[in-house]
Amino acid sequence: VVIALALRAEPDLVIADEPTTALDVSVQAQIIALLKRLCRERGVGVMLVTHDMGVIAEAADRVAVMYAGRLAELGAVRDVLTAPRHPYTHGLMGSTPLASRGMKRLKQIPGSMPRLGALPDGCAFWPRCEFAQEVCKTGSSPIIANEDAQAACWFPLTQTKLRSAK
């Protein structure tokens, strides 16, 4: 009903905030398929706001990963989910059951999120980042672009860097 109401206004963009929360997996898939089909038929863009990486992988073409209200990484879903460049995205993906297959426990990101009213200077993620250096603590993270992907990190991850950190 909410999707029908949103599309009735003939928008150019539908913003769907957690459209599949508390739904079982089969109903989630049906809702995402319906939303994609209706928007494709009507030429409407969709912005999904969700913490569910499975929904992102299934429904999105591009993904923006946010941390503490700031952009951490932006790029094609496949690239960001399989080869994350920002340490937060890497930790986020490592904490999902699929990415942690074969491990006894899911990987955790150490520490906790900062309060939005008390963000640290520099990159908001540096207190939790295993790759943080002094520049991360003082300067705003630059947007480092690589083809179609962007990471807001002084030291974006590479596969070589990830292997040596394990």
Side-chain angles (χ1 to χ4, degrees), residues 45-68:
V46 180
M47 179 188 300
L48 290 173
V49 179
T50 184
H51 66 279
D52 188 328
M53 301 310 276
V55 168
I56 293 167
E58 182 63 32
D61 298 320
R62 294 183 57 76
V63 62
V65 178
M66 307 283 294
Y67 181 79

Side-chain angles (χ1 to χ4, degrees), residues 14-34:
V14 171
I15 300 173
D17 188 357
E18 297 287 358
T20 59
T21 297
L23 300 176
D24 67 56
V25 176
S26 62
V27 175
Q28 279 184 358
Q30 291 173 23
I31 295 294
I32 293 300
L34 175 67

Side-chain angles (χ1 to χ4, degrees), residues 39-121:
C39 290
R40 182 179 55 250
E41 288 172 358
R42 296 167 184 258
V44 175
V46 180
M47 179 188 300
L48 290 173
V49 179
T50 184
H51 66 279
D52 188 328
M53 301 310 276
V55 168
I56 293 167
E58 182 63 32
D61 298 320
R62 294 183 57 76
V63 62
V65 178
M66 307 283 294
Y67 181 79
R70 297 179 184 166
L71 180 67
E73 188 162 355
L74 173 68
V77 168
R78 182 178 178 180
D79 296 339
V80 172
L81 300 187
T82 60
R85 299 188 69 223
H86 193 280
Y88 173 67
T89 309
H90 174 67
L92 186 64
M93 294 313 302
S95 68
T96 62
L98 187 59
S100 300
R101 212 177 325 179
M103 298 171 63
K104 291 183 180 180
R105 297 184 61 154
L106 294 178
K107 183 178 178 181
Q108 293 180 324
I109 299 172
S112 59
M113 284 274 302
R115 290 187 333 272
L116 292 181
L119 292 176
D121 290 337

